[in-house]
Amino acid sequence: MSESVAVDQPPAPASMPAPAQVKRRNGVIERTLADISHTMGHTLFSEDIARHSGLLQSLDPRVKVISMLALLIAVGLSRNLAVIAGLYGVTLALAWRSAIPVGFFIKRVWLFLPFFTGVIALPALFITPGPTLLSLPFGLAITRTGAMSALFLLLRVSTSVSMAALLTFSTPWNDVLKALGVLRMPEAVILIFGMTYRYIYLLLNTANDMFLSRKSRVVGRLTGADQRRMIGATAGVLLGKSLHLSSEVYLAMQSRGFRGHARAPSVASFNMRRRDWGAFVVVAIVTVSAIWLGQ
Amino acid sequence: MNQVHNETLFDLHEVTFAYEGKQTALERVTLSIQAGERIAVLGSNGSGKSTLLKLLDGLYFASSGVIKAFGQPLTEAAFDDDVFNFAFRRRVGLVFQDTDVQLFSPSVWEEAAFAPMQLGLSKADVHARVDAALRALRIEKLRDRAPHRLSGGEKRRVALASVLTLQPDVWLLDEPTTGLDPRSQSWLVNFIVEQGRAGHTVITATHDLSIVDAIADRVYVFDEAHHVVAQGTPHDILSNTDLLLACNLSHDHVHRHDDGGEHTHPHAHPLAHTHAHE
Ligand SMILES: Nc1ncnc2c1ncn2[C@@H]1O[C@H](COP(=O)(O)OP(=O)(O)OP(=O)(O)O)[C@@H](O)[C@H]1O
Ligand SMILES: [Mg+2]
């Protein structure tokens, strides 16, 4: 989604003034929002990488889903920084072997990390009692224990998020859903996953379209206040649209006989090959040793 | 003309519907539709066509007045009965105007399989129906694609396929030609003709006057006050320029003549024909 919109430029009529060579800057807020929706679109919905050939791409989706869950558990149970760091290293190596540009991968994950962890990790720095590492004004002090637990949290979350990202990058979303189905995940949950993904896609698309259509209509620069007003209005419209969408989709499902308990069609026709079993065994060994070493 | 059975499918008496109790969408609508009829519902934007189809599909319920389908009143209580719900849903299929809401499954195949799965058909039957529908709409190649990533016209075909697998004998089509290229449009017109020949009921909401003659035996016209203002054969309705003009279904056409004079006359496009040879 959100490919740059290629508009064929008609030859400018003679009376059209040539564009002045001035860089026009969009407002900061607008650029940030557009960036976020663009990035989200690319990270969450780009299936380009999943179609490349690479190590993870060649594995059965079921193996990937189970492996991810096992490794997530290992990360969660481990009380040893080195072990978690090691698992992070493994994740990066897998990314590299799966045609995922490692720089891009690290950057994408860390970009969203502050949202998840910052809020929790920051207070932990100060409020955890223990020997003082660094004294700050106002009687605040970063304790050794606090720093350690913040570091743990950060590394745990970044490793877990990386693993989840690895799965979604290397596997088309439909296959992830199917694998969950094969693994006896309740159908309703899978239906919700699938629809959430679709909603986000549709809303991001709508947000992008709204930015574009506004851009095409705005002549001249807007003041900061005007911009904020417009963005507020946009957000309101988006919320209204998502509510409308969910009730309409429900009608569409009802119309085709849906009665609240989903019968999701399963077309899964996966087959485990030798390399899948191999990967399975390797992951099992890594998981068990990580848990054991991490005690 | 199709064989019209003497069974009243839908019977609406003084039906009024308002969204959230405020926004009136249908105002004292009375109409009746026989099994096997092909009906066009004409009206300008906002006149209430989509709302009517949703009422006919038992998705919304009349704020006042009575709607009967197959001789039974359509009420929320009626649909709470699983037996009635099942019988109604398998006979009536609605293709939504907005394909984005109609298509909620992760792949085209699953989208088309949704309805027969809800009917509880066997796996083999589901596969057979889906394959047949994808073939009929020439979208076999799209079977593993995500519906929301398709082009507008492709989405429309998938939406049709997703109802075709239900094999309904009552079709409710909401602006089905929107976004279709000429070839697909004539395919659709043909499809409606075929459904009619098979004895099925097809109710199409549209403001595309060029297809009305081909897809309908009878026409209902809604005005902007959400009333039914006229009904009749396609010929009667399409030749009534005053009516079409009053309902914003045709527009004034300005001609310039060689002598430099200009004159305006109402202008509709009822005579543009679609020829389907397939
Ligand atoms: N979800 C809704 N909530 C509130 N009002 C609505 C809703 N949907 C439609 N309406 C209103 O109900 C009236 C009838 O709408 P409807 O969608 O049935 O028109 P339509 O004939 O299908 O129009 P179009 O040709 O544009 O599709 C309109 O005035 C519209 O504004
Ligand atoms: Mg409509």
Side-chain angles (χ1 to χ4, degrees):
Chain A
M1 66 168 277
S2 61
E3 296 91 349
S4 59
V5 179
V7 178
D8 290 329
Q9 298 276 338
S15 60
M16 267 293 257
Q21 293 299 310
V22 184
K23 272 214 180 116
R24 225 171 91 202
R25 283 183 303 144
N26 287 324
V28 180
I29 317 172
E30 164 138 12
R31 239 181 316 144
T32 316
L33 279 181
D35 261 6
I36 288 179
S37 78
H38 187 82
T39 315
M40 292 265 290
H42 272 273
T43 33
L44 281 173
F45 299 102
S46 156
E47 296 199 336
D48 299 346
I49 296 174
R51 295 189 203 293
H52 285 172
S53 60
L55 177 63
L56 287 178
Q57 286 87 339
S58 71
L59 291 179
D60 188 300
R62 285 171 302 180
V63 172
K64 285 189 273 186
V65 170
I66 294 183
S67 303
M68 186 196 71
L69 294 176
L71 290 171
L72 282 181
I73 292 173
V75 171
L77 288 181
S78 182
R79 279 186 245 133
N80 184 327
L81 265 187
V83 169
I84 303 179
L87 288 173
Y88 186 56
V90 169
T91 312
L92 293 185
L94 285 174
W96 172 58
R97 295 301 302 155
S98 307
I100 301 172
V102 177
F104 156 90
F105 183 68
I106 296 176
K107 223 167 60 194
R108 283 291 175 265
V109 169
W110 285 86
L111 193 70
F112 289 107
L113 214 55
F115 295 113
F116 299 126
T117 39
V119 193
I120 315 170
L122 212 59
L125 269 182
F126 305 104
I127 57 176
T128 317
T132 305
L133 199 62
L134 187 68
S135 294
L136 296 174
F138 308 114
L140 285 175
I142 294 182
T143 63
R144 211 182 121 73
T145 340
M148 280 308 274
S149 57
L151 197 62
F152 257 111
L153 188 72
L154 215 62
L155 204 58
R156 270 208 185 114
V157 173
S158 60
T159 309
S160 310
V161 172
S162 301
M163 285 172 175
L166 206 55
L167 175 72
T168 53
F169 279 143
S170 67
T171 320
W173 182 245
N174 288 348
D175 286 352
V176 176
L177 290 181
K178 277 188 217 162
L180 291 174
V182 174
L183 298 172
R184 302 257 166 264
M185 173 81 88
E187 283 165 348
V189 175
I190 298 172
L191 196 74
I192 290 169
F193 271 1
M195 291 187 34
T196 309
Y197 176 85
R198 226 185 65 77
Y199 278 161
I200 296 176
Y201 180 87
L202 205 70
L203 286 179
L204 285 178
N205 247 348
T206 313
N208 267 339
D209 282 353
M210 284 166 78
F211 281 128
L212 284 182
S213 84
R214 266 218 345 256
K215 217 172 181 173
S216 75
R217 275 177 293 168
V218 168
V219 181
R221 298 270 297 277
L222 291 173
T223 66
D226 275 341
Q227 265 204 27
R228 278 190 294 279
R229 229 188 334 274
M230 272 194 159
I231 285 164
T234 308
V237 172
L238 269 181
L239 183 67
K241 279 201 176 181
S242 65
L243 289 176
H244 175 73
L245 186 68
S246 57
S247 64
E248 285 276 293
V249 168
Y250 182 65
L251 290 184
M253 295 174 73
Q254 251 187 327
S255 166
R256 284 195 269 154
F258 180 70
R259 299 279 316 186
H261 38 81
R263 304 174 202 238
S266 89
V267 266
S269 49
F270 300 133
N271 44 39
M272 294 279 282
R273 284 156 306 166
R274 185 202 292 242
R275 63 183 310 146
D276 295 316
W277 288 112
F280 194 69
V281 171
V282 172
V283 169
I285 294 172
V286 170
T287 306
V288 171
S289 28
I291 293 176
W292 181 64
L293 283 173
Q295 293 310 304
Chain B
M1 201 71 181
N2 309 286
Q3 72 273 33
V4 175
H5 320 297
N6 275 329
E7 181 200 352
T8 304
L9 261 197
F10 292 108
D11 196 17
L12 279 70
H13 183 72
E14 298 270 307
V15 170
T16 295
F17 179 83
Y19 284 96
E20 280 116 39
K22 301 190 290 274
Q23 184 71 47
T24 305
L26 292 175
E27 180 80 44
R28 300 168 60 111
V29 170
T30 297
L31 54 84
S32 112
I33 295 169
Q34 306 295 308
E37 268 193 302
R38 293 178 311 153
I39 304 284
V41 179
L42 293 183
S44 60
N45 293 136
S47 56
K49 305 181 293 297
S50 299
T51 309
L52 175 71
L53 294 192
K54 283 178 184 153
L55 284 159
L56 294 181
D57 198 31
L59 298 173
Y60 295 144
F61 301 97
S63 313
S64 72
V66 181
I67 305 183
K68 283 190 182 167
F70 312 109
Q72 305 271 343
L74 291 187
T75 57
E76 262 183 291
F79 280 92
D80 282 342
D81 176 12
D82 278 333
V83 178
F84 178 78
N85 186 73
F86 184 86
F88 184 90
R89 297 286 171 222
R90 70 166 305 160
R91 287 193 72 179
V92 184
L94 167 61
V95 179
F96 282 66
Q97 177 171 9
D98 180 356
T99 46
D100 274 331
V101 312
Q102 171 124 38
L103 307 176
F104 45 77
S105 304
S107 76
V108 168
W109 195 95
E110 281 150 288
E111 193 66 64
F114 186 85
M117 290 295 300
Q118 305 311 309
L119 294 181
L121 294 187
S122 76
K123 206 167 166 179
D125 286 345
V126 172
H127 275 265
R129 279 196 185 192
V130 173
D131 290 346
L134 298 188
R135 217 174 314 119
L137 284 141
R138 285 181 274 115
I139 48 174
E140 298 118 302
K141 284 208 190 74
L142 305 179
R143 56 176 291 147
D144 293 319
R145 296 273 301 276
H148 56 272
R149 283 168 187 273
L150 301 175
S151 81
E154 289 169 338
K155 280 185 193 169
R156 178 86 37 205
R157 287 153 173 267
V158 176
L160 278 164
S162 73
V163 176
L164 187 58
T165 51
L166 192 63
Q167 300 182 352
D169 49 36
V170 181
W171 282 84
L172 306 172
L173 302 171
D174 200 350
E175 311 273 359
T177 51
T178 313
L180 291 183
D181 56 32
R183 187 176 140 103
S184 309
Q185 238 182 70
S186 73
W187 178 88
L188 185 89
V189 169
N190 232 15
F191 174 80
I192 296 176
V193 171
E194 301 270 302
Q195 290 296 320
R197 283 216 191 97
H200 295 168
T201 314
V202 187
I203 303 169
T204 313
T206 185
H207 32 222
D208 182 356
L209 298 183
S210 68
I211 60 169
V212 169
D213 193 36
I215 62 160
D217 310 318
R218 209 150 58 81
V219 181
Y220 281 103
V221 183
F222 282 76
D223 67 0
E224 292 186 335
H226 319 294
H227 286 109
V228 175
V229 283
Q231 65 125 334
T233 64
H235 181 266
D236 291 344
I237 300 290
L238 295 176
S239 55
N240 189 344
T241 17
D242 291 340
L243 172 74
L244 296 181
L245 202 59
C247 296
N248 284 331
L249 288 163
S250 65
H251 51 86
D252 277 336
H253 204 67
V254 180
H255 280 286
R256 190 174 298 246
H257 291 287
D258 283 345
D259 58 9
E262 230 172 52
H263 86 146
T264 305
H265 68 85
H267 171 92
H269 302 270
L271 295 175
H273 277 289
T274 359
H275 294 282
H277 303 284
E278 282 194 51

